[in-house]
Amino acid sequence: MKFFSTALALTLVTSFCLSLSAERLIDEKVKVTSNYDWSNYAQDKGSSKYAPLDQINRSTVKDLQIVWSWDSTDNQRVTLRPQQVPLSFKATPIKINNTLFTSTSLGAVVALDAQTGALQWEFDTETWKDGRPVNLGFHHRGVSYWENSGKKRILMPTNNGYLWSLDAETGLPDSLFGDGGKVDLTEGYGREINRKHYGVTAAPTVVGDIVVIGGLVADYPLMDLPPGHVRGFDIHTGKQRWIFHSIPQHGESGNDTWEDDSWKRAGAANVWTLMSADPELGYVYLPFGTPNNDWYGGARPGDNLYAESLVCLDAKTGKRVWHFQMVHHGLWDYDLPAAPNLVDIKVDGKAIKAVAQVSKQGFVYVLDRVTGAPVWPIEERAVQRSNVPGEHSSPTQPIPSKPEAFELQGISDATLIDFTPELRAAAEKIISRFDHGELFTPPSLKGTIQLPGWGGGANWSGAGFDPETSMFYIPSMTMPSVVQLVEPTKDGTTENRYIRGGTRNVRGPQRLPLTKPPYGRISAINLDTGEYVWVKPNGEGIRQKIIDMGIDDPGPVGTFTISGPLVTKMLLFQAVTDNKKHLLTAYDKQTGETVHQFELPAAPGGTPMTYMVDGKQYIVIAVGGVKDARLVTLALP
């Protein structure tokens, strides 16, 4: 009886505990199935672009329809000020509770009802008052959110070099932040900055109480342009808490990689794209770009740390934890173009907190995100040296052993177009006018065909990661370009011996691409193994043109896109403009099979996101540009 009573008691206790566990699981499931936020630009601070939602699935995706759209207020602004023309609408909204927050290309911040698209508030940062901003003009990718102790803030850095903190509920500036709600980012830099040479187009990264800001720096072939320093600001006051020198100053580690005191005047080497963070570690991960002059480094001898490096910082102090340089002494404009993906993977049975960085040159660099050590060997290999007077290119570059490159690299028999012997012969005649060869063939006075070109490979939209399967999805483009160096005019605008000029692009024979297809693709890699699971063209591309030339049907050949992937429980979404059709394509994420295509009303410019409100799943994507920018929202009937 004593045994029976004890056993019964244990059974009841166990049942009660299991019941509580089941209730907790049910509660969590209810939260996901009734309300799901997209609280960061790429869903989480690790930039996964993944949401565990499956109401829109393989069976139901065919029923998607537009449930609401919001016309950007930029459209009206362009009508009033036609000289201020924005680029494509590139923003990805965030969703908190029942509200979407997004930026516009001309620098406004808006809050929209997540179910109806109704405007809740708008704040105009008046970026346009400082005229056309640096580099590509008016464009912006998004905002960030912070909440603590009842305070809710939207953080918006601007094209003209300010950081705004807005009350998320009212849209009014935070009077305790900086000067009336904004901080002037051209101050506290350590070097005088012309606002025409600096701005921010990416959503900031918030780690704890620190807002981490990089910036878009002019990469013109001038001396004394701003360096791409990264800074941390107090989210309560706007006070600058730390600065990390992208070009190390005197006495700092890495300073000796800028030889002949070139660190004093070199510029750029900036984080113009998005960042990622690991709040548990307290680390932020910075993907740095190329120093200026992009294609000639005679005025900046040395490896040039921390240009084209992934740098891990302690977000609280700004102290460097580790770094890995992907390109030594960059000459190809191979910026690290996208936020690195923070991935928890299992390699040979060992769990690894890793970071996967996609690149313009077509590599994925997979590193331990705690230590910076490569997960698979990365070998320094000899590359062709430059013969341009005054240039001292690096004798080696780091080449990952795994995964293999996801894009065509270099001009060779393996990459040159070969639909017919005649086309191959014509292509060989075209490339004979230029220098060409393997990846990292340096720019020349004759002109060098660079593959991938400066546009990638991968670009700012980055990759997506499925944490449940360790699958990594990379959209990329095959875009060769020509870099020809010329002597600058004697007008005193640059002290560089050579700048880029002359021929800039190269066409293949009969107006076809120079290389083999696909010209745009999606690559799916299992990051537990480093092996490819599938690679698919991202659309039909110029398939019909090839057939009309009497060439055997090559199948879909893909096309270019700047939109990034969205990963859900069952599907992979990718937006593209294909033969004048603007499409949001749903793929089976396990096989790459096209499940459904939804035609969008304008060209996709942003990366799609998804969320749930009251049990209904929505997908939102920014489309359009000059006068037709809008958010398009899809859901099931």
Side-chain angles (χ1 to χ4, degrees), residues 97 145-148 150-154 166-169:
N97 297 322
Y145 177 81
W146 174 86
E147 179 179 354
N148 192 22
K151 295 181 180 179
K152 302 174 182 179
R153 297 291 180 263
I154 296 296
L166 308 175
D167 186 302
E169 295 182 339

Side-chain angles (χ1 to χ4, degrees), residues 80-153:
L80 297 174
R81 299 187 300 274
Q83 73 277 14
Q84 287 152 0
V85 178
L87 291 176
S88 59
F89 191 12
K90 295 180 178 179
T92 294
I94 58 175
K95 182 261 185 186
I96 307 294
N97 297 322
N98 197 40
T99 304
L100 292 184
F101 301 96
T102 193
S103 60
T104 73
S105 300
L106 291 177
V109 184
V110 296
L112 306 172
D113 185 287
Q115 290 176 291
T116 67
L119 182 66
Q120 295 179 350
W121 57 256
E122 178 179 22
F123 181 80
D124 185 3
T125 65
E126 298 185 335
T127 299
W128 51 272
K129 285 189 174 181
D130 283 311
R132 186 184 187 279
V134 64
N135 205 348
L136 297 177
F138 290 102
H139 66 121
H140 206 273
R141 297 189 175 98
V143 299
S144 294
Y145 177 81
W146 174 86
E147 179 179 354
N148 192 22
S149 300
K151 295 181 180 179
K152 302 174 182 179
R153 297 291 180 263

Side-chain angles (χ1 to χ4, degrees), residues 432-447:
S432 68
R433 299 169 14 221
F434 304 98
D435 290 324
H436 58 272
E438 297 179 350
L439 181 69
F440 296 121
T441 298
S444 67
L445 304 182
K446 182 180 179 180

Side-chain angles (χ1 to χ4, degrees), residues 285-331:
Y285 300 85
L286 317 178
F288 280 95
T290 308
N292 73 313
N293 175 359
D294 295 47
W295 292 281
Y296 177 75
R300 50 173 173 85
D303 279 354
N304 304 148
L305 288 176
Y306 293 96
E308 291 161 316
S309 301
L310 183 62
V311 177
C312 171
L313 301 182
D314 183 308
K316 186 176 292 186
T317 65
K319 300 296 184 184
R320 180 177 60 87
V321 180
W322 58 260
H323 75 274
F324 188 93
Q325 189 174 49
M326 282 69 174
V327 183
H328 310 315
H329 188 77
L331 300 174

Side-chain angles (χ1 to χ4, degrees), residues 206-403:
V206 183
V207 189
D209 289 348
I210 300 295
V211 187
V212 185
I213 297 288
L216 184 65
V217 176
D219 52 2
Y220 315 134
L222 306 176
M223 305 302 289
D224 298 317
L225 286 171
H229 300 333
V230 175
R231 290 170 290 170
F233 294 87
D234 188 296
I235 202 160
H236 302 283
T237 65
K239 182 179 179 181
Q240 182 171 312
R241 294 266 289 269
W242 54 257
I243 184 168
F244 176 79
H245 295 128
S246 69
I247 299 176
Q249 304 298 287
H250 179 69
E252 293 181 338
S253 176
N255 175 262
D256 59 347
T257 66
W258 298 81
E259 298 172 8
D260 296 347
D261 285 341
S262 58
W263 60 273
K264 293 180 178 179
R265 303 187 64 193
N270 52 303
V271 181
W272 57 265
T273 190
L274 298 130
M275 309 176 199
S276 296
D278 186 328
E280 291 184 5
L281 294 173
Y283 293 167
V284 61
Y285 300 85
L286 317 178
F288 280 95
T290 308
N292 73 313
N293 175 359
D294 295 47
W295 292 281
Y296 177 75
R300 50 173 173 85
D303 279 354
N304 304 148
L305 288 176
Y306 293 96
E308 291 161 316
S309 301
L310 183 62
V311 177
C312 171
L313 301 182
D314 183 308
K316 186 176 292 186
T317 65
K319 300 296 184 184
R320 180 177 60 87
V321 180
W322 58 260
H323 75 274
F324 188 93
Q325 189 174 49
M326 282 69 174
V327 183
H328 310 315
H329 188 77
L331 300 174
W332 301 270
D333 196 23
Y334 282 159
D335 301 327
L336 294 183
N341 299 80
L342 307 191
V343 297
D344 292 340
I345 56 179
K346 186 171 286 188
V347 179
D348 296 330
K350 179 184 177 183
I352 299 175
K353 289 181 176 294
V355 53
Q357 176 70 62
V358 296
S359 69
K360 287 184 179 181
Q361 56 267 39
F363 286 129
V364 184
Y365 301 84
V366 186
L367 310 169
D368 185 307
R369 71 174 181 265
V370 180
T371 66
V375 171
W376 294 287
I378 298 178
E379 178 186 356
E380 288 287 337
R381 294 185 190 170
V383 295
Q384 184 177 330
R385 302 297 298 275
S386 174
N387 59 9
V388 174
E391 183 60 87
H392 302 283
S393 61
S394 175
T396 64
Q397 295 291 348
I399 308 295
S401 60
K402 268 190 174 185

Side-chain angles (χ1 to χ4, degrees), residues 401-466:
S401 60
K402 268 190 174 185
E404 293 183 3
F406 58 81
E407 262 299 338
L408 300 186
Q409 294 179 325
I411 297 296
S412 67
D413 286 343
T415 60
L416 206 60
I417 189 172
D418 64 352
F419 290 136
T420 67
E422 293 77 17
L423 287 174
R424 167 55 72 93
E428 289 174 347
K429 185 176 181 180
I430 291 170
I431 67 172
S432 68
R433 299 169 14 221
F434 304 98
D435 290 324
H436 58 272
E438 297 179 350
L439 181 69
F440 296 121
T441 298
S444 67
L445 304 182
K446 182 180 179 180
T448 298
I449 302 176
Q450 181 179 316
L451 182 67
W454 61 269
N459 209 293
W460 61 266
S461 52
F465 179 70
D466 185 339

